[in-house]
């Protein structure tokens, strides 16, 4: 234990004063209208700040010591960490002298603290002076070297970061003997048996306070000078030597010159900047990264030109390669080529005149035929050519239509573009591969028939025999053909968004931004879905009946099944909620179709899709009773609410009129009105912003309750009290039923099924 520790322990033991704690970042007061204060630090650290200069005080030091003998404080004291302090108060200098007389141990602590710090301040002063002088010399050298290098490289030099560098002198303003003097004095103070006169203590503190303040002013000037000099090397405006040398490097590299010397200068400059406290490290990292990117880009230009030439050559014959791979009927291929040429010649490809409409319709018909042939052949091929992938996944057929730069970007994207089938995201090619493999069933057709129903209809119509039914039901290629003929033409048109001017060809007119920025990746889709599911936690829980006959257990269970999302080859603005389940089984995913290039806000689109899914899933569960209010379900109660709005006693006349107006805007579609209310519910209501009327809010809280963390946020709001109460009651009842069932299982010694434990987990969310 050192002397300060011993003295602090003695002071606390004597009970002269008591400890108090202060939290980090809090300011420590040293003066008010009546009294002045200083504090011995028992634990923690404190900053003493003066201008740019900061002194760190730790255990045994005294906060307030640098202003103790002055009438006006100039230092600001702030707790750097949580700290324990021994406080002292005094009214004036006479009272301070009396305090020294009463507590001789205090004198030693004060003198030891201020003496150790003036030594540190002197050392800091010399360091800052050396740094400033070094920076000044380095900048003068860098200026001269830059101008010389520009002449050697025959490059016009850019203006320097300054018109004229100020003349600075760096001679020390401090006597050289002071450091040794204060160090020697510190050794004397460390002697425990040394006696100290009160007047000496006061006088020494006063003298050192003056010295420290003077040194702090000098340090402040030097710090400011060093910061200014450092800004000539690097700053936010790019008017600095780092940018001058980066630019010189790039120009020399582009001219084929030797960049070794410039690279060495930049390397040394970067090391120096990293060693300075006056430089923004994030800014330096960004600038270094930017320079490296530019230099790499310049260095790879020739290689890129070669690659671009190769790609242009491959893409020039894209249409012929597609038609050859498709092996379609020659007459169809010839007609498609003629239509493509006619379409390319149009000045307005979105015109609505009869001739242009007829051309687009003909292209669409031929495109679907060729797409079907190409997809079937691709499914038989293990190594699919890149241009064929571009056609199947993006709808690309011609470089002139898509734009040369877009075509090259798509060529590069096509090699790495994949969905995430494990999480239900499929490219067009992956989707048909999944159907061929039997991992997915084809979508329902326009008559709401699934594939098995379609096959049975062929038997009824006499197109196939009963004996061939089983073979056709198991034939993967027949399933693919069913999907290509039924789902693909309709869904591709719907997801494009503009059904009256739809054309499946990828054109630069539709690619309003770079393809990569419009491309819907699995990450974008899953993020959009997760944002909604985080609020509407029960969104994708499919209900089914769980039964255990031996224990006479029968209850509704739920399973979390995310939808399948398929990316269709077009540039579009809409999504399509195609079907709420895959087949008759409730344990199958919904099916959403999206354009592979999406030009609108994906979050808003996904909200609309899940709202429609909510409605259709309820209709599927309830069957013919979907609008029977006695069935107590979402669609039935919402249907009853809107249909009989005039008789609703819970709403004012104004509220009723708003509902009627909303219904008119939705063209009297109850489903469309629910979708709008659901969107308001997710975006606003669950965040505490009221947009719905009382009845609509109650229905949505009942059937689409927000997750617990959102309910907790709304708990103090009286507007949501009724809705939250309903959720709490229904949840408690459901949990009670599971507890009762679990008791049966425990009594029989049977393990509790995962289906019901999963149900409890859901209800707890």
């Amino acid at each position: 234990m050192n002397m300060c520790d011993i003295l602090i322990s003695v002071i606390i033991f004597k009970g002269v004063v008591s400890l108090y704690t202060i939290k980090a970042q809090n300011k420590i007061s040293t003066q008010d209208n009546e009294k002045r204060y200083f504090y011995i630090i028992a634990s923690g650290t404190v900053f003493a700040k003066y201008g740019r200069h900061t002194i760190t005080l730790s255990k045994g030091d005294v906060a307030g010591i640098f202003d103790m003998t002055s009438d006006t404080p100039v230092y600001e004291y702030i707790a750097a960490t949580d700290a324990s302090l021994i406080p002292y108060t005094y009214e004036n200098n006479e009272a301070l002298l009396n305090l020294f007389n009463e507590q001789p141990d205090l004198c030693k602590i004060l003198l030891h603290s201020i003496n150790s710090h003036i030594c540190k301040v002197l050392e800091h002063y010399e360091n800052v002076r050396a740094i400033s002088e070094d920076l000044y010399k380095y900048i003068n050298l860098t200026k001269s070297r830059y101008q010389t290098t520009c002449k050697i490289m025959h490059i016009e030099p850019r203006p320097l970061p300054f018109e004229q560098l100020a003349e600075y002198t760096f001679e020390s303003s401090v006597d050289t003997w002071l450091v040794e003097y204060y160090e020697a004095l510190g050794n004397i103070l460390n002697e425990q048996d040394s006696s100290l006169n009160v007047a000496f203590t006061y006088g020494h503190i006063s003298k050192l306070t003056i010295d420290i303040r003077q040194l702090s002013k000098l340090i402040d000037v030097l710090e400011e000078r060093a910061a200014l000099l450092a800004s000539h090397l690097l700053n936010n405006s790019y008017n600095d030597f780092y940018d001058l040398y980066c630019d010189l490097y790039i120009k020399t590299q582009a001219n084929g010159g030797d960049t070794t010397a410039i690279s060495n200068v930049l390397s040394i400059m970067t090391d120096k900047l990293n060693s300075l406290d006056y430089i923004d490290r994030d800014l330096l990292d960004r600038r270094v990264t930017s320079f490296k990117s530019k230099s790499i880009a310049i260095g790879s230009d020739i290689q890129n030109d070669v690659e671009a030439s190769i790609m242009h050559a491959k893409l020039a014959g894209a249409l012929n390669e597609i038609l050859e791979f498709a092996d379609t009927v020659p007459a169809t291929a010839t007609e498609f080529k003629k239509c493509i040429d006619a379409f390319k010649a149009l000045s307005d490809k979105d015109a609505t005149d009869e001739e242009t409409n007829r051309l687009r319709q003909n292209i669409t018909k031929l495109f679907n035929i060729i797409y079907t042939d190409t997809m079937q052949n691709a499914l038989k091929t293990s190594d699919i050519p890149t241009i064929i992938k571009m056609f199947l996944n993006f709808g690309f057929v011609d470089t002139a239509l898509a734009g040369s730069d877009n075509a090259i970007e798509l060529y590069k994207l096509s090699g790495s573009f994949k969905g995430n089938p494990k999480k239900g995201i499929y490219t067009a090619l992956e989707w048909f591969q999944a159907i061929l493999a039997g991992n997915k069933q084809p979508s329902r057709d326009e008559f709401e028939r699934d594939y098995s129903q379609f096959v049975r209809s062929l038997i009824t119509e006499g197109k196939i025999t009963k004996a061939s039914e089983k073979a056709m039901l198991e034939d993967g290629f027949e399933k693919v053909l069913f999907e290509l003929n039924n789902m693909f033409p309709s869904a591709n048109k719907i997801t494009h968004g503009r059904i009256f001017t739809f054309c499946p060809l990828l054109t630069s007119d539709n690619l309003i931004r770079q393809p990569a920025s419009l491309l819907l990746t699995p990450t974008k889709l899953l993020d959009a879905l997760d944002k909604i599911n985080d609020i509407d936690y029960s969104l994708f829980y499919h209900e089914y009946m769980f039964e255990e006959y031996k224990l006479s257990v029968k209850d509704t269970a739920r399973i979390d099944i995310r939808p399948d999302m398929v990316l269709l080859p077009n540039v579009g603005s809409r999504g399509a909620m195609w079907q709420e389940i895959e087949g008759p089984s409730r344990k199958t995913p919904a099916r959403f179709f999206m354009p592979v290039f999406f030009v609108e806000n994906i979050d808003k689109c996904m909200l609309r899709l899940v709202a429609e899914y909510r409605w259709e899933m309820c209709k599927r569960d309830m069957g013919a009773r979907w609008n029977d209010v006695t069935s107590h379900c979402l669609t039935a109660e919402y249907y009853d609410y809107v249909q009989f709005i005039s008789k609703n006693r819970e709403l004012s006349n104004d509220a009723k009129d708003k509902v009627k107006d909303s219904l008119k805007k939705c063209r009297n579609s109850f489903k469309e009105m629910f979708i709008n209310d659901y969107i308001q519910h997710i975006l606003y209501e669950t965040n505490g912003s009221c947009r719905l009327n009382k009845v609509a809010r109650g229905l949505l809280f009942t059937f689409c309750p927000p997750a617990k963390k959102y309910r907790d946020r709304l708990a103090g709001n009286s507007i949501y009290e009724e809705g939250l109460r309903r959720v709490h009651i229904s949840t408690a009842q459901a949990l009670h039923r599971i507890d009762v069932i679990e008791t049966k299982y425990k009594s029989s010694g049977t393990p509790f099924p995962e289906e019901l434990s999963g149900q409890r987990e859901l209800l707890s969310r």
Side-chain angles (χ1 to χ4, degrees):
M1 185 178 291
N2 61 32
M3 188 193 72
C4 279
D5 289 340
I6 295 170
L7 292 175
I8 290 171
S9 300
V10 169
I11 289 171
I12 296 173
F13 177 76
K14 289 180 178 179
V16 177
V17 287
S18 58
L19 286 172
Y20 90 94
T21 58
I22 186 167
K23 294 292 184 182
Q25 307 304 319
N26 285 345
K27 188 175 179 180
I28 301 171
S29 175
T30 59
Q31 189 170 332
D32 57 28
N33 293 332
E34 298 179 357
K35 293 184 179 181
R36 292 154 69 179
Y37 310 88
F38 65 89
Y39 311 82
I40 298 175
I41 302 171
S43 67
T45 55
V46 173
F47 289 146
K49 295 186 175 183
Y50 176 77
R52 289 175 175 269
H53 183 216
T54 299
I55 298 173
T56 302
L57 309 175
S58 55
K59 182 178 180 181
D61 289 324
V62 180
I65 194 167
F66 303 127
D67 299 303
M68 186 179 290
T69 60
S70 303
D71 293 332
T72 306
V74 295
Y75 277 84
E76 182 180 30
Y77 299 89
I78 299 171
T81 64
D82 292 353
S84 295
L85 308 176
I86 304 173
Y88 288 87
T89 62
Y90 59 100
E91 290 81 10
N92 49 42
N93 291 343
E94 185 178 348
L96 183 62
L97 288 168
N98 291 335
L99 185 61
F100 290 169
N101 274 317
E102 293 170 4
Q103 298 189 41
D105 290 336
L106 184 60
C107 295
K108 286 193 175 184
I109 291 176
L110 293 171
L111 289 173
H112 184 276
S113 175
I114 197 165
N115 201 81
S116 66
H117 277 288
I118 195 165
C119 293
K120 293 177 183 177
V121 172
L122 280 165
E123 183 182 357
H124 183 55
Y125 165 76
E126 289 299 332
N127 287 338
V128 175
R129 189 177 67 82
I131 290 169
S132 299
E133 185 174 11
D134 178 67
L135 268 174
Y136 184 71
K137 291 177 180 177
Y138 179 77
I139 287 172
N140 273 308
L141 178 64
T142 303
K143 176 187 74 171
S144 175
R145 183 182 289 150
Y146 172 72
Q147 292 168 334
T148 303
T149 308
C150 285
K151 286 180 182 179
I152 294 171
M153 298 299 177
H154 303 290
I155 293 173
E156 184 69 25
R158 282 172 40 188
L160 297 174
F162 44 78
E163 292 183 9
Q164 183 67 39
L165 189 63
E167 293 286 342
Y168 293 128
T169 58
F170 294 94
E171 292 181 4
S172 178
S173 302
V174 178
D175 293 329
T176 55
W177 54 267
L178 270 181
V179 176
E180 291 186 6
Y181 167 73
Y182 285 121
E183 285 178 352
L185 189 59
N187 293 331
I188 295 171
L189 294 172
N190 280 330
E191 295 176 9
Q192 294 187 22
D193 59 348
S194 61
S195 58
L196 296 171
N197 182 276
V198 170
F200 171 79
T201 301
Y202 183 86
H204 193 63
I205 292 173
S206 298
K207 175 64 172 65
L208 264 66
T209 297
I210 294 170
D211 288 349
I212 287 175
R213 286 192 182 187
Q214 185 61 36
L215 282 168
S216 294
K217 287 179 181 178
L218 292 173
I219 290 170
D220 213 30
V221 170
L222 288 171
E223 295 265 16
E224 188 174 339
R225 185 180 300 172
L228 176 62
L229 291 169
S231 72
H232 293 328
L233 294 177
L234 188 83
N235 57 58
N236 280 306
S237 67
Y238 283 68
N239 181 27
D240 52 49
F241 277 110
Y242 187 81
D243 192 61
L244 291 184
Y245 268 94
C246 287
D247 182 61
L248 182 59
Y249 183 99
I250 297 297
K251 288 176 179 177
T252 304
Q253 185 185 35
N255 293 338
D258 185 359
T259 58
T260 305
I262 305 171
S263 179
N264 289 338
V265 173
L266 280 169
S267 178
I268 293 169
M269 191 182 296
T270 302
D271 289 343
K272 181 169 284 294
L273 289 168
N274 266 314
S275 69
L276 295 173
D277 292 334
Y278 314 100
I279 295 299
D280 182 341
R281 292 290 180 279
D282 291 337
L283 173 63
L284 178 59
D285 290 343
R286 291 197 301 272
R287 295 282 294 277
V288 170
T289 302
S290 175
F291 164 67
K292 287 180 179 177
S293 298
K294 287 179 182 178
S295 63
I296 290 170
I298 293 292
S300 61
D301 270 351
I302 296 175
Q303 181 64 28
N304 287 343
D305 288 343
V306 172
E307 290 178 0
S309 298
I310 294 170
M311 287 183 197
H312 277 300
K314 290 181 178 179
L315 292 166
L319 181 56
N320 289 331
E321 183 176 346
I322 292 166
L323 293 174
E324 184 180 345
F325 187 90
D327 194 23
T328 200
V329 177
T332 302
T334 302
E335 187 180 356
F336 189 59
K337 280 185 176 182
K338 288 180 180 178
C339 288
I340 294 292
D341 290 337
F343 193 67
K344 285 195 288 187
L346 292 176
S347 58
D348 182 7
K349 295 177 177 57
D350 290 327
T352 55
D353 59 276
E354 186 177 347
E355 185 178 350
T356 306
N357 280 335
R358 193 182 306 114
L359 176 61
R360 280 195 297 260
Q361 290 167 7
N362 200 24
I363 287 174
T364 302
K365 181 185 71 174
L366 295 169
F367 178 93
N368 290 335
I369 293 170
I370 294 165
Y371 190 92
T372 298
D373 292 340
T374 306
M375 181 62 77
Q376 289 183 307
N377 287 334
L379 295 176
K380 300 172 187 175
T381 307
S382 58
D383 187 15
I384 303 171
T386 301
I387 286 175
I388 303 305
K389 288 181 181 178
M390 291 168 67
F391 174 60
L392 295 176
N393 285 331
F394 303 145
F396 170 84
V397 294
D398 184 84
T399 302
L401 278 174
S404 179
D405 291 342
N406 291 333
I408 290 174
E409 187 176 344
L410 290 171
Y411 190 92
K412 293 176 180 177
L413 285 172
S414 188
S416 59
F417 179 58
K418 295 178 182 178
N420 189 342
K422 288 183 178 180
K423 294 193 175 182
I425 314 293
Y426 297 84
T427 65
L429 179 57
E430 289 170 345
W431 179 248
F432 288 102
Q433 287 172 335
I435 291 175
L436 179 66
N439 297 327
K440 291 293 170 184
Q441 292 301 312
S443 307
R444 294 193 287 267
D445 65 12
E446 59 184 341
F447 302 109
E448 285 295 304
R449 298 178 302 184
D450 61 24
Y451 181 68
S452 60
Q453 291 170 332
F454 165 72
V455 172
R456 285 195 292 272
S457 72
L458 294 180
I459 298 172
T460 304
E461 295 167 8
K463 294 180 179 178
I464 63 170
T465 63
K466 181 72 175 175
S468 61
E469 178 186 10
K470 183 178 180 182
M472 191 169 179
L473 286 172
E474 295 175 355
D475 191 328
F477 280 100
E478 285 293 340
K479 293 179 181 180
V480 167
L481 188 61
F482 178 80
E483 187 81 337
L484 284 165
N485 289 337
N486 292 282
M487 176 281 288
F488 181 76
S490 300
N492 205 32
K493 189 174 186 177
I494 290 170
T495 53
H496 175 68
R498 293 175 291 160
I499 58 175
F500 297 111
T501 58
F502 171 69
C503 182
L505 304 178
L506 184 69
T507 68
S508 57
D509 294 335
N510 290 332
L511 286 167
I512 59 175
R513 296 192 297 276
Q514 287 184 317
S517 65
L518 297 173
L519 189 67
L520 278 185
T521 61
T523 300
K524 288 181 183 178
L525 289 166
L526 292 171
D527 284 350
L529 204 62
D530 287 342
K531 287 177 187 176
I532 304 168
N533 201 205
D534 181 59
I535 300 171
D536 188 359
Y537 68 95
S538 62
L539 177 58
F540 297 116
Y541 276 77
H542 293 213
E543 289 189 355
Y544 66 98
M545 190 57 64
F546 174 82
E547 293 184 83
E548 180 64 65
Y549 299 108
K550 293 180 180 179
L551 299 176
S552 299
V553 171
K554 184 176 182 181
D555 197 28
T556 301
R558 295 175 177 85
I559 184 171
D560 189 4
I561 304 176
R562 294 293 189 94
D564 288 331
M565 290 184 275
V566 185
L567 300 171
L568 298 179
N570 71 76
V571 182
S573 58
R574 287 188 59 189
M577 203 295 292
W578 200 255
Q579 54 194 62
E580 62 285 348
I581 53 175
E582 188 175 274
S585 172
R586 296 290 190 274
K587 297 182 181 181
T588 53
R591 193 162 292 177
F592 295 175
F593 292 124
M594 300 291 295
V596 69
F597 298 109
F598 194 68
V599 297
E600 296 293 341
N601 185 299
I602 185 61
D603 291 333
K604 290 182 180 178
C605 175
M606 196 63 71
L607 253 177
R608 183 173 184 81
L609 289 179
V610 300
E612 185 177 356
Y613 162 78
R614 269 283 192 188
W615 182 270
E616 294 298 333
M617 191 65 189
C618 184
K619 286 183 70 175
R620 170 69 60 176
D621 285 337
M622 301 312 298
R625 298 186 62 203
W626 73 269
N627 60 353
D628 181 357
V629 72
T630 62
S631 64
H632 185 63
C633 67
L634 170 64
T635 52
E637 296 211 13
Y638 195 87
Y639 186 92
D640 183 72
Y641 148 64
V642 179
Q643 186 178 32
F644 300 107
I645 189 66
S646 299
K647 299 179 181 179
N648 198 312
R649 296 180 180 179
E650 293 187 65
L651 300 178
S652 66
N653 290 332
D654 285 344
K656 293 175 184 178
D657 290 340
K658 286 181 180 179
V659 174
K660 292 174 184 177
D661 289 341
S662 296
L663 188 59
K664 287 179 183 177
K665 291 177 182 177
C666 295
R667 300 178 183 178
N668 292 319
S669 168
F670 289 15
K671 172 182 168 181
E672 187 66 25
M673 192 167 170
F674 166 76
I675 290 172
N676 290 341
D677 282 353
Y678 180 87
I679 292 172
Q680 299 289 318
H681 171 66
I682 296 297
L683 289 180
Y684 302 107
E685 292 282 339
T686 55
N687 288 303
S689 179
C690 301
R691 297 297 175 92
L692 302 175
N693 63 51
K694 180 181 178 182
V695 179
R697 181 182 301 115
L699 289 172
L700 283 158
F701 264 80
T702 299
F703 296 105
C704 311
K708 188 176 185 301
K709 65 179 179 180
Y710 291 91
R711 298 199 301 269
D712 290 344
R713 292 178 194 172
L714 301 174
N717 194 327
S718 59
I719 293 174
Y720 302 98
E721 186 177 348
E722 179 61 24
L724 294 172
R725 187 183 65 82
R726 291 180 187 175
V727 175
H728 177 73
I729 291 172
S730 64
T731 302
Q733 290 173 341
L735 286 171
H736 177 68
R737 284 200 307 274
I738 294 174
D739 290 340
V740 171
I741 293 170
E742 186 175 17
T743 302
K744 287 187 178 182
Y745 275 91
K746 286 181 178 178
S747 299
S748 65
T750 307
F752 195 56
E754 291 184 6
E755 292 91 336
L756 295 180
S757 61
Q759 175 82 340
R760 174 182 282 142
E761 184 181 345
L762 162 66
L763 293 167
S764 300
R765 289 176 60 190

